[in-house]
Every structure is written in C-alpha cells, then in structure tokens.
Amino acid sequence: MGNAKTLIWVGSYTADRNANGEGIAALSADDDGQLTPLGLAVAADSPSFLALHPTLPVLYAVAEEAKTVRAYRRTGDAVLEAFGEPWPAGEATCHVAADPQGRFIVATCWGDGQVILYELDDDGAITSRTSAAAAVDPHTATSPDEQRPSRGHSSLMLPDGRVMTTDLGHDLVRVWQYSPGEGLQLDHQVVLPKGSGPRHMARHHSGTVFVDTEYSVEVAAIRMEPDGTYELSTMVPASATGAKDGDAGAEIALSPDGRFAYVGVRGSNRICVLKVSHGGAGLEPLAEVPCGGEWPRHHLVREGWLYVANEGSDDVVSFKLDPKTGLPDGPVSRVEMGSPSVLVPAA
C-alpha cells in the first residue's frame, strides 16, 4: 500500500450547543484507513454542516445555533479563514449544499422550515439571499386539527440544474427550478407517508434518488418519470431487523459503483448496508454493523473506505469496505474529535 492522503474537513457542534467541538477541524486519511487529526482549521460556532465549492478553495458552513451561513477560504494545507461576513439564515440551519456550477448554495433550516438560496460571485463569495416558498403540509386533509411544523433538512443538486429538498416535518420532497436573481421556484413535490421524516438524499447513477427517513428509519426510492417529475416508487426498511426504540435515521451514502447504500442509525448506533437492486429501482436490506461509537450523525464513503462521525462518543472511525460484499470491516482506525457532525473531503 502507498501513503496517499485524503484531507477531510470535519464540522462539529460546539459550546453554544453544550457540545465539545471548537469549529471546523481537519483530518487526514491515508490509503490504509489510518486517520490523523490535523487540528483546528478555523474556530466557529456549531458549523454542523459543510459544503465545498466545486472549483474554488472555498468552504461553506452553517452556524446552526447562530442562524447564519458563512464562507471560509482555504489559506494553507489544513487552515481556513473567514471569507466575508456571516449571512442570516433561519432557525436551526442544519444543512448546506453547493451548486455544481458554483452559482449558488442552498441552506435548509430544521427550526422554521426555510429553504434559502445564496448566490455566489466568481470568487465564491456570497452576494445575495432569497427565501423560497414555505412548505404546506400535504397531510392536513387527513388530520385537519394537527399542526405539524415544517422542518427543512437537506438539499440535493440534480444534473438538470434543478434542486431537490426534504422537509422532515411535512414528509415532503420538493423539486425546485433556479432562476438567477429570483431564487428557487417550486416545480413539483413528492409526498412521503405521514410520519416518515425524509432527512438526507443520495442520487444513484441510474437517476433514482434514495432518501433516508429519520422517524421511520426507512429508505425511499424516488424515480424520475419521462415528463421530468419525480414519483415515490418504493420504501424499504433501512435494517432487516427493523428499527429499535429510540432510533433515528441519519446520513445515507452510496458506494461509487452504486451497488450498495449505507444508512447511519442513531440510538442503536448502527450502519445499515442495503443492496441496490433492479438497476437502481430498488433496495434490499443486507446487513448491519456497529458504528464504532455513539450517535453516528454522518458518514462518508470514499475509495473503499467508510468514515463515520460519531457525535456522541467524540470520535471519527474508519472501516474497510469489502469490494464484493459491500460490508464494512473494522473499525480500522479511530481518532478523537469533539462532537463531529459532518465529514467533507477537501478535494
């Protein structure tokens, strides 16, 4: 084996959330799965989710408690500096994603359901802010007296330039068109079963979008129809043994070849492995392994390795992925990191 290194930015929860992180940290992973902490890249308040600019050395971070979004610029091997002022976001802004063309970023807010688009200039700096239309609970017809809060949770950039977002509180996946200067305009929406709680998304190379659900601990397969609209095609349990009391779905990631999906489950602290079937149209629960710590908030699949950010046990661990079975083996390496919440490779 060689000694190639991958730089990973690590977001965290900090003192403003009674947590143990200090900001955005840096981590090195070599091709033997060994992890080496590189220290604090920049101090920040609860930068719980991060997104990388597609071509520039610029990183975007939410400040979940401070209700802002901010750009950071890389100034050294594992050093960041603030790039511009913080921009206002919404309550409990928990996710940010970058447009593959570098035109904008999208932040989603768990606390008030907002979906906010920030346009970028040629240097990657934030220049404007536009809030999208609020979600309307599609399940009110069956429970007209029940008031469920909207809880925006993540966004996914689609190859045709549209943006897909989840609303965990309203069991909605919404698809948006981007209009320069005007933000996001609703194209259509996909309704998931009531109480499922769509959280994060991963797009398969077949075009299917897999959505893991926080509340029901399932995975939904959403497929695009010939007219360009997405429809729910199936939902399967994330685990063949089912959800346990206190479980909550977290992150979903796909193997590079698209054969396997990996779903983190907080509570019972598992990584569930699912086999992608029928050319990307379906999923089958395959196996599960302990996450190597507590409260696996996020994980990253990269070059034959699975890296898990265990928020509750203040560590990041690596697992070797079997190329044939897709199953994780390990942990191979573990490093202490304060309340890690997201892992983003620097390149």
Side-chain angles (χ1 to χ4, degrees):
M1 300 291 286
N3 59 356
K5 305 283 187 180
T6 296
L7 176 67
I8 299 172
W9 302 118
V10 185
S12 69
Y13 285 104
T14 62
D16 63 351
R17 281 277 296 245
N18 297 314
N20 301 318
E22 298 178 65
I24 304 172
L27 180 66
S28 173
D30 68 20
D31 56 11
D32 292 318
Q34 294 302 309
L35 302 174
T36 304
L38 302 178
L40 186 67
V42 66
D45 290 332
S46 288
S48 62
F49 214 87
L50 311 172
L52 195 66
H53 190 282
T55 59
L56 300 171
V58 177
L59 189 69
Y60 304 96
V62 304
E64 190 161 333
E65 285 298 305
K67 299 178 287 188
T68 60
V69 171
R70 190 168 200 174
Y72 294 89
R73 184 165 44 195
R74 187 174 176 180
T75 59
D77 288 344
V79 180
L80 299 166
E81 68 176 10
F83 181 36
E85 296 300 315
W87 281 71
E91 294 282 344
T93 308
C94 61
H95 190 279
V96 61
D99 165 49
Q101 299 180 47
R103 299 168 297 175
F104 57 83
I105 58 173
V106 173
T108 42
C109 309
W110 183 89
D112 56 18
Q114 284 195 75
V115 175
I116 307 170
L117 183 139
Y118 301 83
E119 292 189 308
L120 308 174
D121 66 17
D122 291 342
D123 294 323
I126 299 172
T127 60
S128 68
R129 174 192 187 278
T130 309
S131 241
V136 176
D137 190 345
H139 294 283
T140 52
T142 57
S143 304
D145 297 327
E146 183 181 7
Q147 298 296 316
R148 303 195 307 165
S150 172
R151 301 213 180 277
H153 213 291
S154 69
S155 61
L156 176 71
M157 305 299 162
L158 300 173
D160 59 12
R162 292 183 294 178
V163 179
M164 185 177 279
T165 62
T166 58
D167 192 303
L168 188 148
H170 286 173
D171 302 307
L172 268 180
V173 173
R174 294 189 287 173
V175 180
W176 309 86
Q177 296 277 1
Y178 165 61
S179 298
E182 299 180 6
L184 296 174
Q185 313 299 320
L186 187 63
D187 187 287
H188 66 282
Q189 62 186 29
V190 183
V191 180
L192 269 63
K194 184 178 180 181
S196 55
R199 180 179 169 90
H200 283 189
M201 299 173 281
R203 183 182 180 275
H204 190 262
H205 56 67
S206 66
T208 302
V209 176
F210 294 120
V211 187
D212 76 312
T213 61
E214 179 167 329
Y215 298 147
S216 64
V217 195
E218 295 176 288
V219 180
I222 298 175
R223 291 178 60 80
M224 189 170 70
E225 300 299 309
D227 64 358
T229 62
Y230 282 84
E231 290 188 4
L232 175 64
S233 62
T234 188
M235 291 187 71
V236 302
S239 165
T241 62
K244 311 293 192 292
D245 287 344
D247 272 356
E251 172 69 344
I252 182 169
L254 299 175
S255 60
D257 61 10
R259 295 169 57 217
F260 304 102
Y262 302 88
V263 176
V265 180
R266 298 165 291 175
S268 56
N269 298 326
R270 297 176 284 168
I271 301 294
C272 296
V273 185
L274 298 95
K275 181 181 179 180
V276 179
S277 59
H278 303 97
L283 283 168
E284 302 169 12
L286 186 64
E288 55 199 62
V289 299
C291 70
E294 297 179 12
W295 210 251
R297 190 170 196 92
H298 192 263
H299 58 268
L300 169 68
V301 175
R302 185 177 173 87
E303 297 177 352
W305 292 91
L306 169 71
Y307 305 101
V308 182
N310 291 312
E311 179 193 352
S313 51
D314 296 313
D315 56 20
V316 176
V317 297
S318 65
F319 295 80
K320 179 67 174 175
L321 294 176
D322 187 300
K324 293 183 179 180
T325 67
L327 299 183
D329 183 29
V332 172
S333 180
R334 174 189 177 275
V335 293
E336 293 185 3
M337 308 286 288
S339 305
S341 56
V342 65
L343 305 171
V344 175

